[in-house]
Amino acid sequence: LLMGSPGAGKTLLAQHFLAEGLRERQPCLHLSFFQMQECILQQADAFGLPFRDSQAESLLRIIAHEPGQCDPDACAEEIVRAVEARGVRRLVIDGIEPILQILDRDQRGLPYLMALTMYLRSRKVTTVITHTLPQLLGAPSVLPQSTSVQVASDLILLHFAELEGRLRRFVSVVKM
């Protein structure tokens, strides 16, 4: 789980995780809830990540949902279909918050994420999930009681801090 402030680099770090898998010829899936496909591809191009070529070779599949247009159960079905049909080895779920908002209304968040992560682990799919924190500067003194925090086996916090008059980025491994 990559948690952090807006702009801290969660998506970019997750994309580098996928790019390494693509370089190793592993089938990858990028599921996004805040960026559309062309924006994802442009960002990858800007950083020299092989997303376009990998997409053309069917090594990478990008599923981009318009903000506010996600059905958690349909998303899980898309993931399972991709894992079963394409043998996905690496998965990025970029921006889990819309799914959690829907699931937490029905108190389904924890069972949903537990079932999904157990399924992915059983299929040996390495998964990175990004989660945005509202705090912009500094590391939070207390992590949110998010469902995603409860199911994550590893937790990396990306955050900003002002140091010597400059804004700096920090990476903290909170749980491993």
Side-chain angles (χ1 to χ4, degrees), residues 35-105:
Q35 290 183 311
M36 297 312 292
Q37 180 171 309
E38 187 55 34
C39 183
I40 293 165
L41 291 171
Q42 288 173 358
Q43 183 177 20
D45 290 344
F47 287 93
L49 304 179
F51 280 23
R52 286 188 197 272
D53 291 342
S54 297
Q55 204 177 24
E57 295 175 36
S58 297
L59 270 178
L60 173 65
R61 178 156 184 233
I62 297 172
I63 301 173
H65 292 272
E66 292 194 31
Q69 300 297 316
C70 74
D71 172 354
D73 297 317
C75 289
E77 287 176 25
E78 286 177 316
I79 291 168
V80 168
R81 275 195 305 270
V83 168
E84 298 296 329
R86 301 180 60 246
V88 168
R89 305 292 348 133
R90 293 187 185 216
L91 165 66
V92 165
I93 301 174
D94 191 19
I96 192 80
E97 301 88 340
I99 285 182
L100 292 179
Q101 287 173 352
I102 293 167
L103 292 170
D104 286 345
R105 275 186 269 160

Side-chain angles (χ1 to χ4, degrees), residues 8-152:
K10 298 175 300 296
T11 297
L12 186 58
L13 184 55
Q15 288 177 342
H16 277 277
F17 161 77
L18 286 179
E20 185 57 30
L22 294 169
R23 286 184 194 99
E24 295 175 10
R25 310 291 300 159
Q26 296 176 349
C28 296
L29 176 62
H30 186 291
L31 188 64
S32 176
F33 296 101
F34 292 104
Q35 290 183 311
M36 297 312 292
Q37 180 171 309
E38 187 55 34
C39 183
I40 293 165
L41 291 171
Q42 288 173 358
Q43 183 177 20
D45 290 344
F47 287 93
L49 304 179
F51 280 23
R52 286 188 197 272
D53 291 342
S54 297
Q55 204 177 24
E57 295 175 36
S58 297
L59 270 178
L60 173 65
R61 178 156 184 233
I62 297 172
I63 301 173
H65 292 272
E66 292 194 31
Q69 300 297 316
C70 74
D71 172 354
D73 297 317
C75 289
E77 287 176 25
E78 286 177 316
I79 291 168
V80 168
R81 275 195 305 270
V83 168
E84 298 296 329
R86 301 180 60 246
V88 168
R89 305 292 348 133
R90 293 187 185 216
L91 165 66
V92 165
I93 301 174
D94 191 19
I96 192 80
E97 301 88 340
I99 285 182
L100 292 179
Q101 287 173 352
I102 293 167
L103 292 170
D104 286 345
R105 275 186 269 160
D106 301 329
Q107 297 180 1
R108 290 180 49 214
L110 186 57
Y112 175 96
L113 279 183
M114 290 288 290
L116 183 60
T117 55
M118 285 180 11
Y119 166 77
L120 293 167
R121 285 181 186 142
S122 75
R123 294 294 192 258
K124 297 185 179 3
V125 178
T126 306
T127 306
V128 169
I129 299 172
T130 70
H131 189 290
T132 301
L133 297 175
Q135 183 174 340
L136 184 59
L137 288 176
S141 57
V142 176
L143 288 175
Q145 291 301 311
S146 169
T147 304
S148 55
V149 171
Q150 295 175 43
V151 300

